[in-house]
Amino acid sequence: MIKFQFIARCGDETMPLEVSMPYKPGKQGQRARRLAVGELLAALHAEAAEVQADGEERVVVKVDGAHWVIGEGGALSQSRGNAI
C-alpha cells in the first residue's frame, strides 16, 4: 500500500486527509489528489462541489460558497505487498 497525506484548508480551518491505495510503479500523485477530494466531500457531507485541479501541487474545491485548498500534508510513506 502507498499512503498520501494532504491538508485541506479553508480560512483558519484545517482538515487532515489521508489516502491509501495499492502500490503501482509510476506517478500516482494526481490519482491520490482526486481521492483526497472525495475524502473531503465525504467529511463535509457534501453532494456536489466545483473542483479546480489545474496545478500539480494543489486542488481548489468550492463547496457551499467555501473555498477549500488541498495541498501536500506530509511525508509520503510506502510499503509494498498485498493489501489487507
Side-chain angles (χ1 to χ4, degrees), residues 30-71:
Q30 184 179 20
R31 181 171 177 238
R33 280 188 287 281
R34 288 193 304 252
L35 293 173
V37 169
E39 292 291 323
L40 175 64
L41 296 179
L44 297 175
H45 304 289
E47 294 184 16
E50 181 181 332
V51 178
Q52 181 182 0
D54 54 2
E56 285 290 319
E57 297 183 17
R58 67 183 190 131
V59 176
V60 178
V61 181
K62 298 176 186 175
V63 179
D64 298 327
H67 289 69
W68 287 87
V69 178
I70 300 174

Side-chain angles (χ1 to χ4, degrees), residues 13-42:
E13 190 174 352
T14 62
M15 182 182 310
L17 302 169
E18 184 175 283
V19 175
S20 297
M21 59 185 153
Y23 175 79
K24 292 181 184 177
K27 295 182 180 181
Q28 295 191 39
Q30 184 179 20
R31 181 171 177 238
R33 280 188 287 281
R34 288 193 304 252
L35 293 173
V37 169
E39 292 291 323
L40 175 64
L41 296 179

